[in-house]
Amino acid sequence: MKTPSCQLSVSRRVALMKPSVTVAFGNRAKAMKQAGIDVLGFSLGEPDFDTPQPIKQAAIEAMLAGQTKYMPTLGDAETRGVIAAKLERDNGIAGLTSDHIAISAGGKHALYVSCHCLLDPPEPGEPAPEVLLPVPSWVSYAPIARMAGGTVIELPTTAADDFKISPDQLRAAITPRSRLLILNSPSNPCGTMYSPDELRALATVIEEATATTAPDLVVMSDEIYEKIVYGDMAHFSIGSIPAIADRVITINGLSKAYAMTGWRIGYTAMPGDFGREFIKALATMQGQMTTCITSFNYPAIRTALTECEADVLRMRDAFATRAEVMFARLGKINGLICPKPTGAFYAFPDISCFFGTTSAGGRPINSALDLCEALLEEARIAFVPGEDFGGCGDRCVRISFACSEAQINAGMDRFEDFLSKLR
Ligand code: PMP
Ligand code: GLU
């Protein structure tokens, strides 16, 4: 991409990378608010709660005590040990020691380095490693996997199936080149989750495939919304299934469950001998990339994971109530289809019944992006258009309900009013 004024250019890899639409719409809504515009934000997946006080206190005390210098790249052994114990206690992932844990600058960074430590760009004439991705899925997975050299194989899902893949679908998608399967339950953007039995059935397919066609296949399970569940289903970690445990990378972080998005704390776990090697690879990469995370955050991680369960439950209960309110409001809108959210804090309705209309402000609505642009400009509500989530996402919008009930009701009033004026 050459600029007209000079011969300089940015790398092709980045020039071709899609910017994150969740971050873009989130920033846009925040900028409008700062400019004094009365916009209601439903775009960013960011809890509106403050970080619990004991977590802040732990960081403040560490900073005052002088823990302000470089630390070991993957984190100190004590904090990595606390994470290993948490994964064993809460998630049933056995055999983890601190050597199987890496701490990164957010879940996004953990995913980024994990993909780079697992995938290689193909040599000339070779096929690229395949990354199996159920879609719609969070907008960052595909760009991160591609940047690491993978080719993304989308596994389409539908609202009627709660946006979940079936074991047969997975079996049919696996090839000898399959290197990575990315799972995200509860799901961003879908707000749905897999049951323990559904994950066991997928694990059986993986076990069979790795014994035959796809010996190199690894599962990356992004469980960042594990604590934000409020349906009948319990969260379940696929890494707890012994038959495949040694090929499951579990990714998590503190952003969502502990309302710590700005702290940038994520972690990666993988048991077994390869797990230890894999985590060493992460250390090599992070050692050349970030050195370590902010050093006074380590005690805060320990406090969050050992002392703040009550705060997590309090926030979870609030999200559960908001999910009910949001689902009830969406249910009143004719033609819109939306599975009931059971986890995370997103509704992902199919709004394609409004395609072919024109807004009161004269904007033709022929796509999810058209609808979101018109909603932002005319109704002053910020949703995220579904196109970049892949698959049937182009018929959907993502509505984050990580905000107050009052805001949800006010936003849905504006949404209904906007829809009632479509021609
Ligand atoms: N995974 C999913 C599914 C997400 O929605 C997010 C959003 N922030 C992340 C990972 C990364 O979160 P963070 O980098 O804040 O830990
Ligand atoms: N994950 C959140 C979201 O989907 C934060 C923004 C981002 O990282 O994508 O809104």
Side-chain angles (χ1 to χ4, degrees):
M1 204 186 259
K2 306 270 184 218
T3 61
S5 56
C6 69
Q7 290 305 301
L8 300 177
S9 56
V10 301
S11 69
R12 271 195 307 280
R13 280 183 350 275
V14 175
L16 293 173
M17 193 178 218
K18 257 201 165 159
S20 164
V21 71
T22 50
V23 172
F25 264 76
N27 287 345
R28 225 167 120 186
K30 280 183 181 173
M32 285 170 83
K33 234 186 246 170
Q34 264 167 8
I37 300 169
D38 166 34
V39 63
L40 297 176
F42 297 91
S43 47
L44 206 53
E46 176 165 67
D48 56 332
F49 299 105
D50 196 4
T51 303
Q53 198 60 26
I55 301 177
K56 288 184 180 176
Q57 197 58 39
I60 290 167
E61 280 166 20
M63 190 196 286
L64 293 176
Q67 190 165 321
T68 55
K69 302 286 165 50
Y70 292 135
M71 296 274 286
T73 293
L74 297 180
D76 57 302
E78 185 185 359
T79 309
R80 293 164 75 197
V82 164
I83 292 172
K86 177 265 177 227
L87 288 165
E88 188 133 23
R89 180 187 70 227
D90 293 359
N91 305 85
I93 303 173
L96 292 173
T97 66
S98 55
D99 290 346
H100 297 105
I101 307 294
I103 302 174
S104 306
K108 198 180 265 181
H109 182 224
L111 287 159
Y112 185 95
V113 285
S114 289
C115 281
H116 275 268
C117 290
L118 211 64
L119 304 171
D120 274 312
E123 297 291 333
E126 261 187 5
E130 292 176 356
V131 177
L132 305 174
L133 183 63
V135 286
S137 70
W138 179 44
V139 292
S140 292
Y141 294 130
I144 289 174
R146 287 193 189 110
M147 180 69 117
T151 185
V152 173
I153 310 292
E154 293 195 345
L155 277 60
T157 67
T158 62
D161 292 324
D162 280 353
F163 300 110
K164 293 189 272 193
I165 55 165
S166 68
D168 285 343
Q169 196 181 0
L170 176 60
R171 191 177 292 111
I174 293 175
T175 76
R177 292 172 302 285
S178 302
R179 187 75 175 107
L180 191 60
L181 165 66
I182 300 182
L183 292 176
N184 173 221
S185 175
S187 159
N188 173 7
C190 305
T192 54
M193 54 194 288
Y194 289 89
S195 71
D197 280 346
E198 286 166 339
L199 287 170
R200 284 193 192 96
L202 295 181
T204 302
V205 173
I206 293 157
E207 187 186 357
E208 286 163 7
T210 51
T212 52
T213 34
D216 295 335
L217 180 60
V218 164
V219 180
M220 189 179 282
S221 180
D222 178 351
E223 305 186 5
I224 199 153
Y225 296 101
E226 66 159 339
K227 299 286 185 191
I228 306 171
V229 299
Y230 35 81
D232 298 332
M233 260 178 233
H235 170 76
F236 183 77
S237 293
I238 194 165
S240 69
I241 299 173
I244 61 159
D246 279 2
R247 39 176 90 236
V248 178
I249 299 168
T250 302
I251 306 267
N252 208 326
L254 273 57
S255 286
K256 314 292 173 173
Y258 300 92
M260 292 174 71
T261 48
W263 293 63
R264 313 309 302 133
I265 298 165
Y267 57 87
T268 304
M270 190 179 202
D273 292 340
F274 177 71
R276 204 176 281 111
E277 289 311 305
F278 177 69
I279 294 296
K280 274 190 202 156
L282 259 61
T284 304
M285 187 162 183
Q286 293 193 175
Q288 296 287 28
M289 193 177 195
T290 46
T291 306
C292 61
I293 66 162
T294 306
S295 52
F296 46 81
N297 281 351
Y298 290 115
I301 299 175
R302 298 196 294 273
T303 300
L305 296 182
T306 56
E307 292 174 30
C308 293
E309 196 59 21
D311 291 293
V312 171
L313 293 176
R314 169 179 54 82
M315 294 188 268
R316 193 274 315 267
D317 289 348
F319 288 127
T321 309
R322 294 164 179 189
E324 291 291 340
V325 175
M326 178 61 85
F327 188 61
R329 292 296 305 249
L330 291 173
K332 289 195 182 127
I333 300 174
N334 267 341
L336 177 153
I337 306 162
C338 187
K340 188 169 189 185
T342 52
F345 31 63
Y346 306 107
F348 198 56
D350 180 327
I351 42 71
S352 57
C353 59
F354 304 112
F355 293 174
T357 62
T358 302
S359 72
R363 291 180 169 79
I365 309 292
N366 293 316
S367 67
L369 179 59
D370 288 345
L371 181 65
C372 289
E373 287 289 350
L375 283 170
L376 190 55
E377 294 302 327
E378 297 177 31
R380 301 294 190 216
I381 49 176
F383 295 170
V384 180
E387 284 90 343
D388 288 2
F389 296 92
C392 66
D394 60 1
R395 304 165 69 83
C396 303
V397 294
R398 193 191 74 173
I399 312 175
S400 164
F401 50 84
C403 57
S404 70
E405 279 171 60
Q407 178 166 325
I408 293 170
N409 279 316
M412 289 301 112
D413 288 347
R414 290 187 191 185
F415 189 33
E416 279 177 12
D417 181 58
F418 172 92
L419 295 175
S420 72
K421 293 178 185 151
L422 288 176
R423 292 173 271 129

